[in-house]
Amino acid sequence: MTGGAGPVAALRVTNRGQELLELILEPYGSDHWLRPGETFVIWALTVEDVGLFEVDHEPGTVTVWAPSHAFVGDEDGEEIDCGHRRPSPPGLFRLPLP
């Protein structure tokens, strides 16, 4: 989050399913994984960016195309890092992800 008066809440995403839900924020390509019942917020940092979101959904994944000044956070505006709760890849030969 940047300095100033603070972000403007623009879009809440809640996982109402029974499994982890992947939330991808584009154009950044950041991934954030929600537990069942959990809510993340896509925050816009400028008033001009409010409402400029596009949402795509497919099983297990929600992709949000955001304005140029946005980030994923909790409901208090604290930023949630890329890879938050990312599951480990399956298989015997796993490479650690950043």
Side-chain angles (χ1 to χ4, degrees):
M1 185 169 72
T2 63
V8 179
L11 181 67
R12 284 178 166 67
V13 177
T14 301
N15 181 359
R16 301 223 187 272
Q18 299 299 315
E19 304 290 329
L20 279 175
L21 176 66
E22 180 183 24
L23 170 62
I24 300 172
L25 180 61
E26 293 288 7
Y28 312 107
S30 62
D31 65 317
H32 314 266
W33 296 77
L34 292 88
R35 291 180 177 151
E38 193 168 33
T39 298
F40 290 168
V41 180
I42 310 298
W43 292 92
L45 296 176
T46 66
V47 174
E48 295 81 19
D49 291 334
V50 173
L52 297 178
F53 295 97
E54 293 183 30
V55 179
D56 293 322
H57 174 265
E58 57 185 69
T61 303
V62 173
T63 302
V64 176
W65 287 86
S68 59
H69 303 95
F71 68 94
V72 176
D74 63 18
E75 294 187 275
D76 295 324
E78 295 298 319
E79 189 167 0
I80 296 172
D81 292 332
C82 176
H84 179 77
R85 286 199 201 96
R86 180 187 299 141
S88 297
L92 296 175
F93 302 100
R94 294 184 262 187
L95 296 175
L97 297 174

